[in-house]
Amino acid sequence: LAGPRGGCAGGDRAILIVEKALEKYGAPVYVRHEIVHNRFVVESLEKKGAVFVAELDQVPADRPVVFSAHGVPKSVPAEAERRNMIYVDATCPLVSKVHSEAEHHRRSGRHIVLIGHAGHPEVVGTMGQLPEGSISLVEDVEQARRVKLPAGPLAYATQTTLSVDDTADIVAELVRRYPEMLPPKKDDICYATTNRQAAVKAIAGRADAFLVLGSTKSSNSLRLVEVAKKAGCANARLVATAKDVDWASLSGVRTLGISAGASAPEILVQETIDAARERYAVTVEEVVTAVEDVKFNLPRALETA
């Protein structure tokens, strides 16, 4: 078992925000996009009265709406205010930090390069903080080699859930071409992403197969599978729940590595271990590479809920 694994402070806070909003306002509470990228979490909240929608025009003006942990473009709260809606922003504070830094760079006259995955809600939200043309998206080393940036001061920011190693390669190429490009004051890749990748690296080389519990929409979960493969376990895969494990494909495996993405609850890990116990004699060893004690406050509007 990789430790740490599973839920992070930003994701846990976002889930709690939806639960507190349901307590305060009653059902239904609407949520724009999946609050975190995990079907188990989304379905659990739906049972409590949350309604997940793609856009604000699907939300009645008299019901509260929560914005997901990934962050939203500025146009979204602006539209909610125009409609006099009650809204609660569950953006992870570490994503908000990236937003603030991007705004600071723009005010200082710098063009910003954002390293991230096109179309991911966090990237859409970060790019939506700034006027069009003031930020360029780079997804990989090849794009870093080719991107044409305007003359003048430059800075870069990153999505919080990227591969630490891949991002370092992209940054190295950008800085090689544009040596004066400013880095973030503190690494934008969040502590949870960094810690989970380090924990997977610590055990992947010892594992005959590796399971990451998480969603195909979850950037940090997908990165954990890639990290496990690069760290020496070619037979690494992403599964949503224990029911999705192809046990037949694991025949002959003596050591199974397990981790979970930052939006996957621990119950999914425990159910997978239980499912393994139904088939094999199992000994569990947890390898802990970091201890996390990060906590984020709730928005003031919900603290007394």
Side-chain angles (χ1 to χ4, degrees):
L1 278 183
R5 63 183 174 276
C8 62
D12 291 347
R13 171 182 178 268
I15 294 162
L16 187 58
I17 283 172
V18 177
E19 292 172 338
K20 290 286 188 185
L22 283 162
E23 281 178 31
K24 180 167 183 174
Y25 301 111
V29 165
Y30 287 77
V31 185
R32 183 185 177 276
H33 293 179
E34 292 187 347
I35 189 68
V36 295
H37 281 151
N38 189 275
R39 283 308 304 166
F40 179 89
V41 170
V42 167
E43 287 167 8
S44 300
L45 292 171
E46 283 175 336
K47 286 172 188 162
K48 296 176 182 178
V51 178
F52 291 85
V53 297
E55 294 300 342
L56 282 191
D57 58 14
Q58 296 167 268
V59 182
D62 62 343
R63 293 308 303 163
V65 61
V66 178
F67 302 150
S68 82
H70 312 101
V72 294
K74 278 189 172 175
S75 58
V76 174
E79 171 66 7
E81 285 175 13
R82 188 188 68 75
R83 291 178 59 193
N84 293 317
M85 300 173 79
I86 298 168
Y87 67 89
V88 185
D89 189 353
T91 300
C92 171
L94 299 178
V95 174
S96 297
K97 165 203 167 270
V98 178
H99 292 182
S100 298
E101 281 201 338
E103 290 237 60
H104 167 73
H105 287 313
R106 188 182 74 83
R107 284 195 301 271
S108 302
R110 298 183 191 99
H111 183 84
I112 299 133
V113 176
L114 177 63
I115 302 167
H117 300 294
H120 188 280
E122 185 186 327
V123 167
V124 172
T126 300
M127 294 187 78
Q129 302 303 305
L130 305 173
E132 202 169 334
S134 58
I135 187 165
S136 301
L137 181 64
V138 168
E139 295 189 79
D140 53 34
V141 171
E142 185 54 38
Q143 286 186 6
R145 286 194 191 105
R146 290 187 283 109
V147 68
K148 289 185 171 59
L149 300 174
L154 299 168
Y156 75 84
T158 82
Q159 188 177 330
T160 61
T161 54
L162 299 177
S163 158
V164 173
D165 294 339
D166 290 353
T167 303
D169 292 343
I170 295 167
V171 168
E173 181 59 24
L174 286 170
V175 171
R176 183 189 70 77
R177 293 184 61 209
Y178 300 97
E180 305 302 315
M181 184 178 287
L182 281 185
K185 284 184 181 165
K186 190 180 176 198
D187 198 352
D188 287 338
I189 296 178
C190 77
Y191 79 93
T193 297
T194 303
N195 288 349
R196 278 148 193 72
Q197 288 179 21
V200 167
K201 278 184 190 176
I203 62 174
R206 295 168 46 195
D208 303 316
F210 208 106
L211 298 178
V212 175
L213 278 296
S215 163
T216 54
K217 292 183 183 176
S218 165
S219 172
N220 75 84
S221 300
L222 292 166
R223 302 295 80 76
L224 291 179
V225 176
E226 293 171 0
V227 167
K229 287 179 177 176
K230 284 186 179 175
C233 186
N235 186 8
R237 65 195 72 177
L238 185 69
V239 291
T241 69
K243 292 174 188 163
D244 302 301
V245 178
D246 178 3
W247 295 103
S249 72
L250 298 179
S251 64
V253 167
R254 293 184 59 80
T255 304
L256 178 65
I258 298 179
S259 186
S263 46
E266 178 64 13
I267 188 173
L268 298 179
V269 173
Q270 296 308 319
E271 285 176 354
T272 304
I273 295 168
D274 291 342
R277 282 202 168 104
E278 289 171 11
R279 296 162 173 85
Y280 310 102
V282 170
T283 305
V284 176
E285 178 193 350
E286 184 173 23
V287 177
V288 178
T289 56
V291 176
E292 296 176 346
D293 57 1
V294 178
K295 283 192 171 53
F296 295 126
N297 294 331
L298 292 174
R300 283 199 194 94
L302 294 178
E303 278 179 345
T304 56

